[in-house]
Amino acid sequence: MSNFCSVSDDILTNIMSRLPAKPFAAAACVNHLWNRISDRILSRPRLTSGLSLAESPEIAVDEALEMALSKPIRPHFAIAFVGLHFPIEEIHNRIASKIGANTILITTASLGTIDADSITNELEEMKWEDDEDAVITDDDMYLGVTMIIGFVPGLKINVVPLLHTNTEPQVPMVDEFISDVRDFTVLVAGNTNPEPVGIMLFGDHCRNLKPILAEIDAKISRETVMIGDAHNYFVCTNAEVDNIDTTLYTVDAVALVFARDNLNNNEVEIKFHVGISSGIIPIGPKIEILDVLVHEGKTTWLFARTQGEVWPLDAYNLILSLHTLIIDKPYFLYIGVTKEAEPLDGGLSIKYTEFYEVIGTQQIMFSVAGTGINPGDICMFYHSDMDSAMGSSNDVYNRFHHLVEPPPRQAYGQLVSSSRSNREKVFGGFMFASSNRGDKHFGNSVTDCMPFYENFPGVPFTGTFCFEPIGRSPVLEEEEEWQSDENRFNMQAFNTIHLVMSYKKTA
């Protein structure tokens, strides 16, 4: 041991920086020198990920964790995206037992993932089966686990649940949710900045969060980034969630709240950047819903007329005519229904749009996936459009491009850095994409993730295909105009939400 103590700091730093997370944590406890070196190695934020497609839940968890923890990291939060045919609670409990009780963990279902291959480092798309009635055999299993682990010095993280009351009328507790978010933020950031840096939200599949999100959007500062999946299966173990009296309240969603830690001296400042890629365009006339028929609580048959007309709509022939106008084949057809959210505190109503995929037609009626449409609602048809999706993806690429570190320049016969001394550096990214996008629509697995991997090659990045991606940029661009009574959350069908995480030194 005495000989090893004579090793220089540089050599020891080189050795420790190659250790997996658990041996690294053990090494940091050896003595003050090793602890100081470990702090130096982890003085910057990190995001790591791991993907396993093993058919055994236990093996998949172990492989994904081994990959995500293959480098030094002190987990502040972890997110597991799990194939629908895996037991989510069982996987959640196994992960929690391995990463420790102090790490915030959310486990959520996924319809597919994009992650870097552990050998080639190439981004790889895997779509998982989303048919609940599908028969799964040994040769036909779409199972897997993707782990994301984050270390974010300079931020504090907490889980805040969004609840509704179980007694009638079942009231969503929006104001209580916002108050809890701000109370936590003030606790760690101080009174000067009561709004968090970002919120990552996971909504329950049994609850329609769109009117609730419209109200949250109106009440939380535009400086706060918000992204996530509004309609899914999730598990979260946290004191805030565990202590809820489930006889009185039901959890509609959980939010990972990222607040700036202003009460401690931090060497870095972390920023979140959001890009939103849409991919639908309107087509056909506006229609008014005359009557609805809900089938098994999952689909809705609609009886409608063209707005301004007296006679009912010939739905079959209308949708057939729309088919001839749409160039892309295959495509997805949706209706967008204009709604208004009425805040419980009596504030102004907020307009938003709910999208439903059209799945069938029968003469004067057509059917959509989902429920919640009412007689009198005004709708518009939309369809997925390849050019729109790719153009929108290019716009996101350009939005992020200012964060790209310039290539080194030649000076006195040597390559030197061209970047400013305190330039923002990207350390990771997330993507929440509509399950209808990806390889099966674009014919490749790179269109959705292009804005990230072409701007930041080699930087950790993970994406999930999900039911209802949601996102909101932190501030409006100068050239943008927005009506005050309209929701600014992007809750469109066929969208992709990109999150880039960067940092810069504070001193």
Side-chain angles (χ1 to χ4, degrees):
M1 184 70 179
S2 59
N3 291 333
F4 198 77
C5 289
S6 63
V7 173
S8 70
D9 285 7
D10 289 342
I11 294 176
L12 192 54
T13 299
N14 185 283
I15 294 172
M16 291 181 64
S17 64
R18 299 170 186 268
L19 294 175
K22 288 188 176 180
F24 177 84
C29 298
V30 169
N31 55 41
H32 290 298
L33 171 62
W34 288 29
N35 184 264
R36 189 178 74 246
I37 290 174
S38 70
D39 287 343
R40 186 192 309 158
I41 293 171
L42 289 182
S43 61
R44 303 291 181 263
R46 292 193 176 193
L47 194 70
T48 64
S49 66
L51 167 66
S52 173
L53 301 178
E55 296 179 0
S56 161
E58 294 81 8
I59 294 175
V61 167
D62 293 349
E63 288 182 350
L65 273 175
E66 181 180 5
M67 192 180 304
L69 296 173
S70 62
K71 297 177 180 179
I73 192 167
R74 291 171 183 157
H76 287 160
F77 71 93
I79 302 171
F81 296 113
V82 180
L84 278 177
H85 295 293
F86 262 170
I88 292 180
E89 287 198 21
E90 178 183 321
I91 284 181
H92 179 88
N93 293 335
R94 186 173 182 86
I95 295 171
S97 69
K98 291 179 175 291
I99 64 174
N102 292 329
T103 302
I104 292 175
L105 170 64
I106 294 177
T107 305
T108 182
S110 176
L111 300 177
T113 186
I114 291 180
D115 206 329
D117 184 274
S118 60
I119 299 176
T120 65
N121 205 34
E122 295 290 329
L123 286 173
E124 183 178 278
E125 175 184 316
M126 172 59 66
K127 279 292 190 72
W128 291 323
E129 180 63 63
D130 60 351
D131 181 2
E132 294 181 359
D133 300 321
V135 177
I136 305 301
T137 67
D138 289 341
D139 298 325
D140 187 29
M141 297 186 78
Y142 293 88
L143 307 172
V145 174
T146 297
M147 283 297 312
I148 301 98
I149 295 178
F151 170 68
V152 283
L155 297 180
K156 290 290 188 181
I157 309 171
N158 195 22
V159 173
V160 176
L162 171 62
L163 310 177
H164 76 254
T165 58
N166 289 340
T167 55
E168 297 293 341
Q170 295 185 350
V171 179
M173 301 171 64
V174 177
D175 288 337
E176 289 80 358
F177 170 78
I178 294 173
S179 177
D180 289 344
V181 168
R182 287 180 173 152
D183 287 347
F184 167 70
T185 306
V186 168
L187 181 66
V188 300
N191 291 315
T192 58
N193 188 8
E195 304 292 346
V197 175
I199 294 174
M200 190 177 295
L201 186 138
F202 300 87
D204 185 76
H205 66 103
C206 294
R207 190 72 168 177
N208 179 13
L209 285 187
K210 291 184 177 66
I212 299 172
L213 291 174
E215 185 175 350
I216 290 173
D217 172 69
K219 294 181 176 179
I220 285 188
S221 167
R222 286 286 293 168
E223 297 298 320
T224 299
V225 165
M226 297 186 70
I227 64 167
D229 181 9
H231 183 91
N232 213 327
Y233 308 85
F234 65 84
V235 182
C236 175
T237 49
N238 176 270
E240 297 288 341
V241 177
D242 294 341
N243 294 331
I244 293 170
D245 186 343
T246 55
T247 64
L248 299 176
Y249 307 104
T250 295
V251 178
D252 287 339
V254 292
L256 271 182
V257 179
F258 298 82
R260 201 166 309 286
D261 181 9
N262 289 338
L263 303 183
N264 295 300
N265 293 324
N266 296 298
E267 297 182 8
V268 296
E269 178 185 358
I270 294 176
K271 291 186 178 181
F272 289 179
H273 314 264
V274 170
I276 300 172
S277 173
S278 59
I280 57 173
I281 57 176
I283 188 172
K286 283 187 177 181
I287 62 173
E288 178 185 355
I289 303 301
L290 298 176
D291 202 0
V292 301
L293 177 63
V294 176
H295 179 64
E296 296 183 349
K298 294 182 179 180
T299 60
T300 305
W301 283 94
L302 302 174
F303 181 65
R305 66 184 175 191
T306 304
Q307 193 175 23
E309 297 291 336
V310 175
W311 301 106
L313 183 70
D314 183 346
Y316 177 82
N317 283 318
L318 173 61
I319 291 177
L320 192 63
S321 68
L322 296 181
H323 176 78
T324 62
L325 295 174
I326 298 172
I327 298 174
D328 289 353
K329 301 292 189 304
Y331 64 89
F332 297 94
L333 187 65
Y334 306 91
I335 60 166
V337 185
T338 303
K339 298 276 191 177
E340 288 194 11
E342 302 286 346
L344 293 175
D345 60 7
L348 295 175
S349 62
I350 306 156
K351 294 180 181 178
Y352 66 100
T353 303
E354 289 194 13
F355 290 87
Y356 300 82
E357 185 176 349
V358 177
I359 58 176
T361 180
Q362 189 175 16
Q363 288 305 117
I364 61 173
M365 303 186 77
F366 65 98
S367 63
V368 298
T371 62
I373 303 175
N374 301 307
D377 283 344
I378 304 300
C379 311
M380 186 81 184
F381 285 99
Y382 295 81
H383 71 90
S384 60
D385 181 73
M386 179 83 72
D387 289 341
S388 177
M390 296 185 73
S392 183
S393 188
N394 285 330
D395 290 342
V396 176
Y397 167 86
N398 292 329
R399 184 185 182 95
F400 291 158
H401 193 66
H402 75 282
L403 295 168
V404 175
E405 191 166 349
R409 57 185 174 82
Q410 194 81 18
Y412 304 105
Q414 293 183 341
L415 291 176
V416 297
S417 174
S418 300
S419 63
R420 302 188 302 271
S421 59
N422 195 23
R423 183 184 179 90
E424 285 185 64
K425 295 185 179 180
V426 172
F427 68 91
F430 284 87
M431 181 188 81
F432 291 85
S434 166
S435 58
N436 283 341
R437 292 176 65 122
D439 185 36
K440 74 177 182 181
H441 181 78
F442 298 119
N444 64 72
S445 59
V446 300
T447 298
D448 281 314
C449 52
M450 179 275 293
F452 192 92
Y453 86 84
E454 285 200 1
N455 275 320
F456 317 110
V459 176
F461 170 81
T462 293
T464 180
F465 292 96
C466 52
F467 295 99
E468 292 183 5
I470 54 170
R472 188 183 77 161
S473 296
V475 292
L476 293 173
E477 301 294 343
E478 291 181 1
E479 67 271 13
E480 293 186 55
E481 296 182 0
W482 209 285
Q483 299 297 320
S484 60
D485 63 343
E486 290 184 358
N487 165 58
R488 290 168 290 195
F489 252 113
N490 186 292
M491 300 184 286
Q492 285 187 2
F494 208 74
N495 63 349
T496 294
I497 312 299
H498 304 265
L499 172 67
V500 170
M501 306 169 78
S502 69
Y503 73 92
K504 67 177 180 179
K505 298 177 183 178
T506 56

